[in-house]
Amino acid sequence: MADINTINKDFADLFEQGKELLVNGSSDHMNETREKAFVQFQELGVPTRVNENYKYTNLIPAFDHPYNVNLRYMEVDVDLNDIFQCDVPELDTNMVLLTNGWYYGENKELTELPKGVIVCGVQEAAVKYPDIFNAHYGKYAKPDEDGIVALNTALAKDGLFIYVPKGVVIERPIQVVNLLRSDRDLMATQRNLFIIEENAQAKIIVCDHTLTHHKYLSNSVTEVNVAPNAVFDLYTLQNQHLNSVILNSIFIRQDTNSNVLTNTISLYGGTIRNNHHVLLDGEHCENNTYGMYLLDNKQHVDNFTSIDHAKPNCLSNEHFKGVMDGEATGAFAGRINVRRDAQKTLAYQSNNNLLLSDDAQIYTKPQLIIDADDVKCSHGATVGQMDEDALFYLRARGIDEKEARQMLMFAFAHEIIEKIRVEPLKDRIDALVDTRLRGEISKCNTCAIACKN
C-alpha cells in the first residue's frame, strides 16, 4: 500500500498534468477558485486518522488505487426512456440526470418548472449566469479546512446548478439521479450549487446509484444558500455497491427566518463519509438534520456534522440512527457550536445505534461548544442491542421471532423516515428500508435503470 505522501503527490501530478483540460471550458471564477484550492490541497492532503475529524475512517485504501479520472465530459450510454420510468406514480418529480459527476447532455427540458427557475450544469451556469454564480460558488465550502473539499474544488469541472428566484414555490420536487457507469475503475468529482432566494421553496431528492461493478470513488461537494424566509428540503438516498466509496460534503448557509430539512439515508455502499456543515447566519432560523444508516458485511459509514449557531434565536434539531450487523462499522461525530452572540439558541442532538452482531462496531462522539449563556442545548448517544422485553412481548402475541425482530428494527428506523415531508417518498423509503432490514440488497426502483445494477 502506498503511503499518504505518495498519494498526495499523485493527485498533485494529476492536477499539473491535466491543467489544460481543467481550465478549458471553465469560467475565470471557477479557475481562480480552483488554483487557490490546489494550494490548500498541497498543504492539507488527503486526511488521515491523525486528523481528529477523520479518526474513525481510513481513506488511504480508498485513494490508493489507479482510478480513471475524466477531466472532460465523456458520453455514457444511458437509455433515458428507462431512467424516467417510475414505479411510484404518486412521486411526481422533475427529474435530472448526472453521469460520473457531469450534467447529462441529453437531459429532458424541465418545461413544467416555474418561470425563472434554472436547472443546468455547473459549467454552463458559470458562463450563462455569471452574476448569480460568482456570488455563491466557493463561498460556503471550506477547502482550507478539509483536504477532501480542497481536492474536489481543484478538480471540479461540472455538477448540478439549481436557482430558485425570489418568491417562487416549486410544487413538484426536483429528483436528481447520480449515476456512476464506466468500463474501468473510476474516480468522479462532482460540484453542486443550489441557490434558494427569499421567500422561495424547493425540495430536492438525490439518488446515488452505480450501474457497473467496477470500483468507484465519488467525491461530491454541494453548496447551498437559503435566503430569508425560504424553505428548503434535501433528501439523499445512497444505494451503491460494496466496491464504491462515497465522499459527500454538504455546506448550507441559512439566512433570517429560513427553514431547512436534510435527511440522508445510507442503504448500501462500501465506504461512505457524509460531511454535513450548517451555518445559521440569520435570526429565527430552523434547521433539521437527520440521517439513517443500515449496515452489514464489512460496510463502513461515517457521518460528521457541524451545526454553527452564529446568530440568536435559532433552533436546530439533529438526529441520526444506525443499524449495524455482520462486521460493519459506523461512526458519528456531531458538533454543535453556539457563538457568543447566539443567545436564545435551542439546539438538540441525538445519535442512537442498534448492534445486531458481536462483530459490529459503532464510534459515536456528540459535542457541544457553547460560548453563550442564555441557551437550551442537549446532546446524547446510545448504543445497544435488541430490546429483549419488547421481543418477548411480541412473541407472546403469536409473532415468530424473525418477524418480531424485523418489526422492532423497522420501528427503530422509522423515526427518521417519518421526518420526510414528501409523503410518496416516505412510503417508498419505508418499503426500501423494510426490504433492506430483511437482508436483501434493495434497489431503488424509483429509477428503473437501477434494477439493472
Side-chain angles (χ1 to χ4, degrees), residues 103-311:
Y103 190 79
Y104 187 57
E106 302 301 321
N107 269 310
K108 297 179 179 179
E109 184 179 357
L110 302 179
T111 56
E112 296 184 21
L113 286 173
K115 183 179 179 181
V117 174
I118 302 170
V119 178
C120 64
V122 159
Q123 195 172 60
E124 178 183 349
V127 175
K128 285 189 175 180
Y129 314 103
D131 291 343
I132 299 173
F133 184 88
N134 295 349
H136 297 278
Y137 182 83
K139 304 300 184 184
Y140 314 116
K142 300 177 180 178
D144 59 329
E145 297 182 4
D146 190 333
I148 296 300
V149 178
L151 183 62
N152 172 281
T153 309
L155 298 181
K157 286 282 290 182
D158 204 15
L160 180 62
F161 176 84
I162 296 177
Y163 175 77
V164 185
K166 182 177 179 179
V168 170
V169 176
I170 301 179
E171 299 291 348
R172 298 170 62 204
I174 297 174
Q175 185 173 3
V176 183
V177 182
N178 289 323
L179 297 183
L180 295 176
R181 182 171 190 171
S182 176
D183 57 4
R184 291 179 289 175
D185 296 348
L186 178 72
M187 175 179 169
T189 299
Q190 181 172 329
R191 187 60 172 252
N192 305 315
L193 177 59
F194 305 153
I195 303 164
I196 317 300
E197 294 286 21
E198 187 174 355
N199 292 306
Q201 296 184 26
K203 294 181 175 68
I204 297 176
I205 303 166
V206 178
C207 305
D208 295 333
H209 296 292
T210 48
L211 296 187
T212 60
H213 287 277
H214 292 278
K215 288 187 176 181
Y216 291 102
L217 171 59
S218 171
N219 184 7
S220 174
V221 170
T222 301
E223 295 182 286
V224 184
N225 186 65
V226 185
N229 303 302
V231 179
F232 177 67
D233 288 13
L234 178 63
Y235 304 102
T236 303
L237 181 63
Q238 298 169 327
N239 197 7
Q240 302 189 353
H241 60 56
L242 289 175
N243 285 329
S244 65
V245 177
I246 304 172
L247 306 175
N248 172 46
S249 300
I250 300 172
F251 295 84
I252 299 175
R253 176 191 173 271
Q254 292 184 232
D255 212 327
T256 304
N257 289 313
S258 60
N259 183 298
V260 170
L261 184 151
T262 65
N263 201 330
T264 302
I265 311 291
S266 302
L267 284 177
Y268 212 74
T271 297
I272 299 175
R273 165 71 181 214
N274 292 310
N275 295 315
H276 307 265
H277 296 266
V278 176
L279 172 62
L280 301 177
D281 203 21
E283 290 196 50
H284 303 289
C285 294
E286 179 178 338
N287 178 272
N288 298 282
T289 300
Y290 302 113
M292 181 177 63
Y293 38 101
L294 309 177
L295 315 178
D296 58 12
N297 295 311
K298 295 185 177 181
Q299 292 175 261
H300 176 80
V301 173
D302 183 354
N303 284 292
F304 175 86
T305 70
S306 173
I307 312 296
D308 186 359
H309 285 259
K311 298 293 170 64

